[in-house]
């Protein structure tokens, strides 16, 4: 390996040309595989380059983003490197020339100092490296001069703004992109100060990101931002021989977060956080390098599945730019055929918990027509960012946590079934509101501090939500979201907890308990893509029942609460997702069911969800059974849910326990019982749990 810094440390052109990410041995290997295992990746790269041939780069800087110019240059330069065909060299220059002719990179927002500049610094640095001395002297010096100018602008801004915005926002995609662009330019120009700054920043990033791989920005920004962490680590390893792959536990585990945030069938995403749409979620390139570095066969399988079936639909329907098409260079370089693909359905549990984000996921199977829930509750940015950022800020006088893409959604959940959405999120929001989520409003109010882009910007340290009593295994899901601290202090909400239980069949029970020293109107919100349908089925007082239908998906939604009344309306969410393209507007209309029990200092509401096939509908079966202060729901087909009341007691004739929850599966599901927090459990006269330590897990009790 040649050190590009050592070969040009004074900023002068290196006497020996060094290519980022490539050397003679690797180039020979890649060229030899273009008709073998890399044939599909070469075809992707060649097609992408042909697309550029049929496009015209802008002659003048548009008002919109120009991020796409960077990877355009990189893709064409790699094609030239691999083939030596001069038309790729000339086409690359056709895209480079206008980019280096613009006085500034970025026009509408933070010129030279944000995403446009970061993307172009990276892509054009790769092109400068890969085209090398095959560029004429004049072209090479023109490109080198522009990279030097833009790199210096980025570097100086990063220093001047240390402690604020992206310069020190270690959990944010702007931080990763801009520092990676700066590093790439530093490596090709021999600017050690730039590469050291990027390395110092990522030295923090790899340690402060959550080890469980969850991303507070949501799947869309995971797909947009996380590849840049991998790009940087790849650059660092090749350029300086430093391997941080195993050290970065976030990257080691983030594929599993992404997998469990795939809607059934894998094509669409579960869209917590700022999500432009439900399709912008796949990065074949990122799946490839995660498969390679961490030997994850399931990542290789998903990369193959996306490339074969989903890629082009996402490419043309995604609302995120520059999108997946420009990643062709990375798809080729990161493909590792030594990792065999593994179907997740054969290895991966259908339930998962990601503690940092308080995220629980359940699916009835890995089939496309499965029923799936995703339920979350955490402080802004997740637990680790919430804590670590405050420590860094106190130590340095900084402001490091910019959780603008994390919605005020603690306690919210979504539901998808049989290929369609039944309970949904709000997508991308500039003015973030708890009322846009499947949550509880108190006197019509959502969370404290909401309404701005960053709902957590001025939040005190104790404004924290969490997820407790977690069980996620063997077909069962249970968790309690504690969100009372999120509401404005003047409401005097002492506690507000939501317990969500999902059974192996996909039926669910939600219990909401609130407590205040003043009477409130507690309003449960349920958002869907289409209006909930009212049914005249003779339900009694205090029961609201609606039918949700969307294509083949259907579900009965029944709310039990004293004096409950319902109303239906619409919630419109309109937002510009990027200040770099001011005229871009995203809009989503939610159909909102509002259920408000009688005004009281306490809230107790039990909601039952029974999914069904809308093409062969079945009647609701669940029965709420009287049992003192605890909650017992007979879901039919042998499934029962027993939840402790506020006093921590479950009252039932056939069991004695101190458990928080007892969940009984049907005999068809093996006669299993799931238990949460039990030291003692007798059921049907049989002793099942007797432990000094509270037990949470699944018991095999026979048919």
């Amino acid at each position: 390996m040649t050190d590009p810094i050592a070969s040009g440390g004074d900023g002068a052109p290196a006497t020996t040309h060094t290519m980022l990410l490539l050397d003679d041995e690797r180039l020979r290997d890649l060229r030899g595989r273009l008709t073998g295992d890399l044939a599909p990746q070469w075809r992707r790269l060649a097609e992408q380059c042909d697309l550029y041939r049929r496009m015209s780069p802008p002659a003048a800087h548009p008002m919109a983003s120009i991020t796409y110019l960077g990877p355009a240059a990189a893709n064409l330069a790699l094609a030239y490197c691999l083939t030596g065909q001069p038309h790729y060299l000339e086409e690359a220059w056709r895209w480079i020339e206008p980019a280096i002719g613009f006085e500034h990179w970025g026009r509408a927002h933070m010129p030279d100092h944000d995403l446009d500049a970061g993307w172009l610094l990276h892509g054009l640095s790769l092109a400068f490296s890969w085209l090398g001395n095959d560029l004429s002297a004049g072209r090479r010096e023109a490109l080198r001069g522009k990279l030097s100018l833009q790199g210096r602008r980025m570097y100086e801004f990063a220093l001047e703004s240390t402690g604020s915005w992206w310069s020190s926002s270690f959990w944010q995609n702007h931080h990763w992109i801009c520092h990676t662009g700066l590093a790439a330019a530093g490596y090709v120009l021999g600017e050690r100060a730039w590469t050291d700054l990027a390395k110092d920043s990522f030295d923090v990033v790899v340690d402060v990101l959550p080890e469980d791989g969850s991303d507070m920005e949501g799947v869309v920004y995971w797909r947009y931002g996380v590849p840049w962490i991998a790009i940087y680590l790849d650059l660092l390893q090749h350029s300086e021989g430093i391997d941080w792959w195993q050290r970065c536990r976030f990257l080691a585990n983030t594929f599993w977060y992404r997998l469990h945030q795939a809607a059934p069938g894998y094509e669409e995403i579960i869209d917590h956080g700022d999500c432009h749409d439900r399709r912008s979620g796949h990065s074949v390139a990122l799946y490839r390098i995660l498969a390679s570095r961490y030997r994850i066969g399931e990542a290789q399988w998903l990369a193959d599945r996306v490339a074969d079936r989903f890629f082009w639909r996402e490419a043309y329907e995604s609302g995120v730019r520059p999108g997946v098409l420009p990643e062709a260079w990375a798809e080729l370089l990161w493909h590792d055929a030594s990792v065999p693909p593994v179907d997740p359905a054969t290895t991966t549990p259908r339930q998962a918990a990601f503690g940092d984000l308080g995220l629980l996921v359940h699916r009835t199977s890995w089939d496309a027509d499965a029923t799936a829930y995703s339920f979350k509750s955490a402080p802004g940015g997740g637990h680790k960012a919430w804590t670590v950022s405050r420590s860094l800020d106190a130590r340095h006088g900084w402001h490091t946590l910019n959780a603008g893409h994390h919605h005020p959604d603690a306690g919210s959940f979504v539901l998808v079934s049989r290929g369609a959405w039944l309970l949904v999120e709000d997508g991308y929001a500039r003015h973030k509101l708890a009322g846009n989520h499947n949550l509880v409003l108190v006197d019509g109010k959502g969370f404290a501090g909401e309404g701005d882009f960053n709902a957590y910007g001025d939040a005190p340290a104790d404004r924290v939500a969490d997820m407790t009593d977690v069980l996620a295994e063997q077909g069962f899901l249970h968790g309690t979201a504690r969100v009372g601290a999120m509401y404005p202090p003047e409401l005097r909400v002492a506690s507000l907890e939501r317990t969500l239980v999902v059974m192996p069949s996909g039926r669910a029970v939600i219990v909401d308990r609130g407590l205040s020293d003043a009477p409130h109107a507690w309003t449960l919100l349920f958002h869907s893509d289409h209006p909930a349908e009212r049914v005249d089925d003779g339900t009694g007082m205090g029961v609201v029942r609606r039918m949700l239908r969307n294509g083949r998906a259907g579900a009965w939604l029944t709310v039990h609460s004293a004096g409950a009344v319902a109303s239906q309306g619409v919630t419109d969410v309109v937002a510009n997702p990027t200040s770099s393209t001011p005229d871009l507007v995203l809009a989503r209309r939610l159909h909102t069911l509002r259920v408000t029990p009688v005004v009281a200092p306490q809230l107790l509401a039990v909601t039952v969800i029974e999914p069904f096939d809308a093409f062969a509908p079945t009647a609701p079966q669940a029965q709420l059974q009287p049992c003192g202060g605890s909650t017992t729901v007979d879901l039919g087909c042998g499934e029962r849910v027993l939840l402790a009341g506020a006093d921590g007691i479950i009252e039932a004739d056939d069991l004695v326990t101190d458990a928080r929850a007892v969940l009984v599966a049907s005999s068809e599901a093996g006669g299993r019982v799931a238990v949460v927090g039990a030291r003692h459990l007798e059921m049907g006269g049989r002793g099942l749990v007797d432990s000094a330590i509270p037990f949470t897990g699944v018991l095999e009790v026979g048919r």
Side-chain angles (χ1 to χ4, degrees):
M1 183 191 70
T2 302
D3 182 353
I5 297 176
S7 60
D10 60 356
T15 56
T16 301
H17 174 60
T18 301
M19 288 188 290
L20 293 179
L21 306 179
L22 299 173
D23 54 30
D24 290 342
E25 182 181 356
R26 189 177 189 196
L27 269 176
R28 284 193 298 270
D29 174 68
L30 293 173
R31 289 166 180 160
R33 295 162 57 199
L34 295 182
T35 56
D37 67 282
L38 287 180
Q41 286 71 35
W42 164 250
R43 181 177 179 181
R44 255 280 289 135
L45 179 62
E47 289 177 346
Q48 185 64 22
C49 291
D50 193 61
L51 177 63
Y52 295 134
R53 179 186 62 82
R54 292 177 279 117
M55 296 172 62
S56 295
H61 197 310
M63 185 61 71
S65 170
I66 59 168
T67 54
Y68 62 96
L69 295 177
N75 281 307
L76 290 158
L78 180 60
Y80 175 71
C81 239
L82 293 172
T83 67
Q85 296 174 15
H87 63 87
Y88 287 127
L89 174 64
E90 290 305 311
E91 189 64 25
W93 184 254
R94 190 171 73 91
W95 284 82
I96 292 168
E97 187 173 30
I100 65 175
F102 298 153
E103 181 180 359
H104 299 284
W105 284 348
R107 183 175 174 189
H109 180 70
M110 294 181 66
D112 304 322
H113 300 150
D114 204 7
L115 296 178
D116 287 297
W119 277 82
L120 266 69
L121 274 174
H122 174 259
L124 268 63
S125 293
L126 291 183
F128 180 81
S129 164
W130 293 341
L131 297 176
N133 294 326
D134 290 344
L135 284 172
S136 68
R139 288 178 173 182
R140 184 170 175 79
E141 284 309 304
L143 176 53
R144 184 184 186 283
K146 184 60 171 174
L147 288 173
S148 179
L149 173 64
Q150 294 296 151
R152 185 169 64 253
R153 288 171 172 172
M154 183 76 86
Y155 174 73
E156 291 173 352
F157 176 81
L159 289 181
E160 292 167 2
S161 60
T162 298
S164 64
W165 189 200
W166 63 256
S167 298
S168 304
S169 296
F170 303 107
W171 296 270
Q172 229 270 353
N173 71 85
H174 292 248
H175 181 93
W176 311 331
I177 294 169
C178 292
H179 280 100
T180 299
L182 185 63
Y187 285 132
V188 298
L189 299 180
E191 295 286 355
R192 187 176 294 275
W194 303 358
T195 61
D196 282 351
L197 179 64
K199 185 163 59 177
D200 289 345
S201 294
F202 276 100
D203 188 42
V204 177
V205 168
V206 297
D207 288 338
V208 302
L209 290 176
E211 290 83 356
D212 65 9
S214 60
D215 187 356
M216 61 95 169
E217 293 195 310
V219 172
V220 167
Y221 279 97
W222 180 94
R223 179 259 168 280
Y224 181 79
V226 172
W228 289 91
I229 304 176
I231 290 170
Y232 177 77
L233 294 193
D234 203 24
L235 280 171
L236 179 69
Q237 184 173 17
H238 181 269
S239 301
E240 300 193 40
I242 298 173
D243 184 347
W244 282 353
W245 291 99
Q246 293 305 319
R247 176 183 166 193
C248 187
R249 302 319 298 164
F250 170 81
L251 274 187
N253 292 308
T254 197
F255 172 75
W256 305 109
Y257 159 78
R258 176 60 187 90
L259 180 66
H260 284 285
Q261 288 294 278
Y266 304 101
E267 187 170 8
E268 292 189 325
I269 66 171
I270 293 172
D271 56 345
H272 297 301
D274 270 341
C275 291
H276 303 57
D277 50 64
R278 295 177 187 143
R279 293 201 183 278
S280 303
H282 290 298
S283 171
V284 171
L286 182 57
Y287 296 153
R288 294 295 188 202
I289 201 165
L290 295 178
S292 177
R293 293 299 187 268
Y294 302 109
R295 316 307 292 175
I296 304 173
E298 292 84 354
Q300 191 85 304
W301 182 92
L302 188 56
D304 290 343
R305 173 63 64 97
V306 173
D308 292 345
R309 301 189 186 184
F310 308 147
F311 183 84
W312 293 103
R313 188 170 184 183
E314 174 160 339
Y316 292 110
E317 291 190 16
S318 169
V320 181
R321 295 293 177 264
V324 294
L325 287 174
E327 292 183 351
W329 67 271
E331 291 172 25
L332 190 148
L333 292 183
W334 289 349
H335 179 68
D336 181 352
S338 72
V339 180
V342 177
D343 185 345
T346 66
T347 61
T348 310
R350 292 172 286 113
Q351 292 74 43
F354 298 88
D356 191 80
L357 202 55
L359 177 66
L360 307 182
V361 188
H362 178 290
R363 67 187 69 223
T364 52
S365 74
W366 286 101
D367 296 337
D369 63 352
T371 295
Y373 296 80
S374 187
F375 178 41
K376 67 190 293 273
S377 181
H383 288 282
K384 188 171 184 180
W386 188 257
T387 302
V388 173
S389 66
R390 277 164 167 72
S391 176
L392 289 171
D393 295 353
R395 191 183 318 152
H396 301 291
W398 292 350
H399 178 73
T400 55
L401 181 58
N402 287 281
H405 294 308
H406 187 163
H407 286 209
D409 58 359
S412 185
F413 70 99
V414 297
L415 167 62
V416 57
S417 183
R418 293 177 172 85
W421 293 86
L422 293 175
L423 293 171
V424 303
E425 288 279 21
D426 61 345
Y428 200 105
R430 276 280 163 185
H431 305 289
K432 294 179 169 61
L433 301 170
N436 292 348
H437 301 275
N438 299 310
L439 290 172
V440 177
L441 299 183
V442 182
D443 294 340
K445 297 180 180 179
F447 291 175
E450 66 176 24
D452 292 329
F453 180 69
N454 185 354
Y456 304 96
D458 298 320
D462 60 353
R463 190 180 296 162
V464 172
D466 65 6
M467 185 73 73
T468 64
D469 295 334
V470 171
L471 169 72
E473 58 181 281
Q474 299 185 51
F476 298 92
L477 190 77
H478 178 285
T480 296
R482 300 187 297 189
V483 301
M486 306 305 291
Y487 291 85
E490 61 269 20
L491 293 175
R492 304 203 302 275
V493 175
S495 67
L496 183 55
E497 297 184 352
R498 164 169 285 176
T499 296
L500 173 69
V501 173
V502 188
M503 299 295 284
S505 67
R507 298 178 180 92
V509 175
I510 302 103
V511 177
D512 291 297
R513 293 182 181 275
L515 179 63
S516 175
D517 61 4
H520 294 297
W522 312 81
T523 300
L524 283 65
L525 302 178
F526 302 95
H527 299 288
S528 52
D529 284 341
H530 306 285
E533 301 173 50
R534 186 167 185 168
V535 290
D536 185 11
D537 61 354
T539 52
M541 294 290 293
V543 180
V544 172
R545 175 167 289 155
R546 294 292 185 269
M547 182 168 55
L548 306 173
R549 290 193 293 179
N550 185 3
R552 191 183 164 200
W556 295 106
L557 187 149
T558 308
V559 182
H560 302 262
S561 192
V565 296
S567 64
Q568 184 84 38
V570 297
T571 302
D572 288 316
V573 182
V574 179
N576 164 249
T578 172
S579 50
S580 66
T581 307
D583 59 350
L584 178 61
V585 175
L586 302 177
R588 185 177 294 193
R589 168 160 285 192
L590 310 176
H591 293 272
T592 305
L593 173 66
R594 299 174 176 86
V595 179
T596 305
V598 65
V599 173
Q602 298 86 26
L603 166 68
L604 175 59
V606 179
T607 302
V608 180
I609 297 175
E610 300 172 81
F612 61 84
D613 186 338
F615 293 171
T618 55
Q621 301 180 50
Q623 297 291 326
L624 179 64
Q625 298 178 340
C627 50
S630 59
T631 299
T632 296
V633 181
D634 184 340
L635 290 167
C637 299
E639 290 187 332
R640 281 198 302 159
V641 173
L642 301 96
L643 303 176
D647 56 5
I649 296 174
I650 293 178
E651 299 181 27
D653 292 338
D654 59 342
L655 62 83
V656 178
T657 185
D658 60 354
R660 299 290 301 152
V662 177
L663 317 176
V664 182
S666 65
S667 58
E668 288 77 9
R672 292 168 295 136
V673 174
V675 181
V676 177
R679 289 186 175 88
H680 180 74
L681 171 62
E682 292 181 28
M683 189 171 178
R686 296 172 59 190
L688 299 179
V689 177
D690 186 8
S691 171
I693 301 173
F695 170 78
T696 295
V698 178
L699 304 169
E700 300 287 345
V701 298
R703 296 180 183 273

